[in-house]
Amino acid sequence: MNDVTVIKIGGNIIDDPVSLQKFLHSFSKEKGARVLIHGGGKKASELSRTMGVEPRMIEGRRITDAATLEIVTMVYAGLINKNIVAQLQSLQVNALGLTGADLNLIKARKRENAQVDYGFVGDFVTEDVNTGQLSRLLENGITPVFCALTHDMHGSLLNTNADSLAAGIAIALSEKFNVHLHLCFEKPGVLRDAENDKSVILQLDKNEYLSLKSAGKIFEGMIPKLDNAFKAFDKDVDVTIRHALNNSTGTKLIRHE
Amino acid sequence: MNDVTVIKIGGNIIDDPVSLQKFLHSFSKEKGARVLIHGGGKKASELSRTMGVEPRMIEGRRITDAATLEIVTMVYAGLINKNIVAQLQSLQVNALGLTGADLNLIKARKRENAQVDYGFVGDFVTEDVNTGQLSRLLENGITPVFCALTHDMHGSLLNTNADSLAAGIAIALSEKFNVHLHLCFEKPGVLRDAENDKSVILQLDKNEYLSLKSAGKIFEGMIPKLDNAFKAFDKDVDVTIRHALNNSTGTKLIRHE
């Protein structure tokens, strides 16, 4: 079985052109099949404010009304995605910029929630990933670059969480490939003490995660990130949580011994 | 040799959601391999003004400084392109939204002009079209949807005229396919009298074009459009100039008898 590396990068790298260039340079040197998934960064909120649409977040999730969907489509699928593609091409990586609508790669359903109307936000399951089409791209030496938009198969794009997208793609590809998932963020790994960047937990199993969570040591945005990470790990995906510019350290998920 | 239809649509269709939907519906019913190329519409200028960047045009061409390149990348490659892709997928067309940077499909060179600095504007020749890669997409039943952005292979996107892009793609594909190019615009065809929509010239040869041009009957935006059209026609592309919503009439280019 062939190896595929799925790397997710977030706003901290995207918002800084120098860091992004450094990351893409190191990404271009990696061997083998790769999939890149990128988040949004500050640009969408900035553009939103310029256009008089005040960004609304509930528990770290962007409420995506029709105007916001237009904005994230412009920023994620246009500006960020295509600039990454152009830069990767200049580094000899045969990149292809994608949403889930392209080639019907990832369909999703609009999130229904009795308490909160998230708007045009989509969730998907493993079966919604078009693994055949995605595999063909990889087998043809193409590097898919996804922004975190899916579609509903009725003509509408849907905003989707980038960590969930990365984990979902990794799980779907694990049916055919030996998948390595790297969830990159602004820290060098999962920290035992959120205030101390030197406290990286090098190996984390589910029991330790659950006990750190109940002790309040792991909190906020790290919880959905790790839930996504363990979901992929449970499907035999090799998972590392690290800084985008530091491949030598990070947290590896391991089985409980 | 197989047939490929290359259709270019412009702003008049893109700016009106109902017309666009009608066009996409009829596009989805057409048989055989197809490539869709879309222009920009008013949205880029609107967004430009909202962001405090006054659009500048010289002879109908947009001056593309760095801020404008960001805007057209958001609007063309993001908003317009991906909404067309999502709509086509809902109509069972396996669409893939593209710039020239994706899969290195169309590289270009920044336009050098001693008189005017057009900024990030790119021109390309037939050899710059990655015909092999584009053919593979078509042979796999994929419908490429291009916005009019190319790239310089040094990491930058370039704004490119959509008619030139459509003609260039048609010419490149004519090496391998029997190509039909439809340049669609807001009129039912090339008019003998610009004020009278009923005066469509059904068949136009180059001599007649040149004489109508010298007589001032064909002018302004129609001149570069027809120059692109005849460039493709000279390479054995079958060319029709028509309204996007009216496939039953239009101007067909013919050889001088």
Side-chain angles (χ1 to χ4, degrees):
Chain A
M1 191 143 58
N2 288 320
D3 287 60
V4 174
T5 305
V6 176
I7 303 186
K8 184 258 169 172
I9 55 170
N12 64 312
I13 288 294
I14 291 160
D15 289 333
D16 176 21
V18 175
S19 296
L20 180 60
Q21 202 171 26
K22 265 189 205 161
F23 166 77
L24 293 174
H25 192 263
S26 92
F27 180 83
S28 76
K29 298 294 173 203
E30 281 181 41
K31 296 217 176 358
R34 285 153 295 177
V35 179
L36 181 61
I37 291 122
H38 62 82
K42 288 183 203 142
K43 205 98 191 183
S45 296
E46 278 171 23
L47 181 62
S48 207
R49 288 202 187 87
T50 308
M51 296 181 75
V53 181
E54 190 56 31
R56 284 189 304 144
M57 313 287 276
I58 293 185
E59 292 171 2
R61 307 246 159 175
R62 191 182 292 275
I63 303 296
T64 308
D65 58 11
T68 304
L69 183 65
E70 286 208 355
I71 290 165
V72 298
T73 304
M74 292 196 285
V75 175
Y76 301 171
L79 189 63
I80 299 173
N81 190 269
K82 297 306 179 180
N83 275 304
I84 288 176
V85 168
Q87 284 188 61
L88 284 175
Q89 286 290 348
S90 78
L91 295 163
Q92 318 302 327
V93 175
N94 198 14
L96 171 62
L98 297 163
T99 67
D102 297 285
L103 304 175
N104 186 24
L105 284 165
I106 306 162
K107 58 174 188 270
R109 273 158 301 280
K110 207 169 169 219
R111 186 181 299 167
E112 300 295 342
N113 183 308
Q115 276 79 51
V116 186
D117 180 8
Y118 286 99
F120 295 95
V121 166
D123 297 305
F124 68 100
V125 295
T126 307
E127 291 68 37
D128 294 322
V129 180
N130 189 337
T131 316
Q133 188 71 260
L134 188 53
S135 304
R136 269 194 295 285
L137 296 177
L138 294 169
E139 284 154 7
N140 285 313
I142 293 167
T143 298
V145 178
F146 280 94
C147 67
L149 293 173
T150 54
H151 76 138
D152 66 1
M153 272 306 275
H154 299 287
S156 180
L157 295 162
L158 295 170
N159 197 5
T160 296
N161 176 272
D163 284 327
S164 308
L165 198 78
I169 288 172
I171 291 168
L173 288 174
S174 72
E175 291 164 19
K176 289 182 121 185
F177 301 94
N178 189 15
V179 181
H180 310 272
L181 172 64
H182 293 239
L183 292 177
C184 300
F185 73 138
E186 67 278 13
K187 297 284 181 184
V190 182
L191 304 176
R192 204 171 289 279
D193 167 8
E195 302 296 305
N196 179 4
D197 277 9
K198 297 230 161 83
S199 70
V200 175
I201 302 168
L202 296 176
Q203 300 190 315
L204 181 65
D205 68 39
K206 207 166 196 172
N207 282 8
E208 191 180 0
Y209 165 50
L210 295 175
S211 76
L212 285 165
K213 190 163 76 166
S214 9
K217 299 278 189 189
I218 288 177
F219 51 89
E220 289 178 358
M222 271 315 282
I223 294 173
K225 194 181 286 294
L226 279 167
D227 287 343
N228 276 308
F230 275 104
K231 213 187 277 178
F233 183 71
D234 287 344
K235 299 286 181 182
D236 284 328
V237 172
D238 166 50
V239 183
T240 308
I241 296 153
R242 63 172 176 92
H243 193 285
L245 296 181
N246 187 347
N247 205 344
S248 63
T249 189
T251 300
K252 277 191 83 74
L253 302 195
I254 55 162
R255 307 237 167 269
H256 179 57
E257 278 157 34
Chain B
M1 191 143 57
N2 289 320
D3 287 59
V4 174
T5 305
V6 176
I7 303 187
K8 185 257 170 174
I9 54 170
N12 64 313
I13 289 294
I14 292 160
D15 289 332
D16 176 20
V18 176
S19 298
L20 180 60
Q21 202 171 25
K22 265 190 207 161
F23 166 77
L24 293 174
H25 192 262
S26 92
F27 180 83
S28 76
K29 298 294 173 203
E30 283 182 41
K31 295 217 176 358
R34 285 152 295 176
V35 179
L36 181 60
I37 292 121
H38 63 82
K42 289 184 203 141
K43 204 99 192 183
S45 296
E46 278 171 23
L47 180 62
S48 207
R49 288 201 186 88
T50 308
M51 296 181 74
V53 181
E54 190 56 31
R56 285 189 301 144
M57 312 288 276
I58 293 186
E59 291 170 4
R61 306 247 162 177
R62 191 183 292 274
I63 303 295
T64 308
D65 58 12
T68 303
L69 182 64
E70 286 208 354
I71 290 164
V72 298
T73 304
M74 293 196 285
V75 175
Y76 301 171
L79 189 62
I80 299 173
N81 191 269
K82 296 306 180 180
N83 275 304
I84 289 177
V85 168
Q87 285 187 60
L88 284 175
Q89 287 289 348
S90 78
L91 295 163
Q92 318 302 326
V93 176
N94 197 14
L96 172 62
L98 297 163
T99 66
D102 296 285
L103 305 175
N104 185 25
L105 284 166
I106 306 162
K107 57 175 188 268
R109 272 157 302 280
K110 208 169 169 221
R111 186 180 299 168
E112 300 295 344
N113 184 308
Q115 276 79 50
V116 185
D117 180 8
Y118 285 98
F120 294 95
V121 166
D123 297 304
F124 69 101
V125 295
T126 308
E127 291 68 36
D128 294 322
V129 180
N130 190 338
T131 316
Q133 188 72 259
L134 188 53
S135 305
R136 267 194 296 285
L137 296 178
L138 294 169
E139 284 154 7
N140 285 312
I142 293 167
T143 297
V145 178
F146 280 95
C147 67
L149 293 171
T150 54
H151 76 137
D152 66 0
M153 272 306 275
H154 299 287
S156 181
L157 295 163
L158 295 169
N159 197 5
T160 296
N161 177 272
D163 283 328
S164 308
L165 199 78
I169 287 172
I171 292 168
L173 287 174
S174 72
E175 291 165 19
K176 288 184 122 186
F177 301 93
N178 189 15
V179 181
H180 310 272
L181 172 64
H182 292 240
L183 292 177
C184 300
F185 73 138
E186 67 279 13
K187 298 283 182 186
V190 182
L191 303 177
R192 205 172 290 278
D193 167 8
E195 303 296 306
N196 179 4
D197 278 8
K198 298 230 163 83
S199 69
V200 175
I201 303 168
L202 295 176
Q203 299 191 314
L204 181 65
D205 68 38
K206 207 167 197 170
N207 281 8
E208 192 181 359
Y209 165 49
L210 295 175
S211 75
L212 285 165
K213 190 162 74 167
S214 9
K217 299 278 189 190
I218 288 177
F219 51 89
E220 289 179 357
M222 271 315 284
I223 294 173
K225 194 181 287 293
L226 279 167
D227 287 344
N228 276 309
F230 274 105
K231 213 187 275 178
F233 183 71
D234 287 344
K235 300 284 181 184
D236 284 327
V237 172
D238 166 49
V239 183
T240 308
I241 296 154
R242 63 171 177 92
H243 193 285
L245 296 181
N246 187 347
N247 206 345
S248 64
T249 188
T251 301
K252 276 190 82 75
L253 301 195
I254 56 163
R255 308 235 167 270
H256 179 58
E257 276 156 35

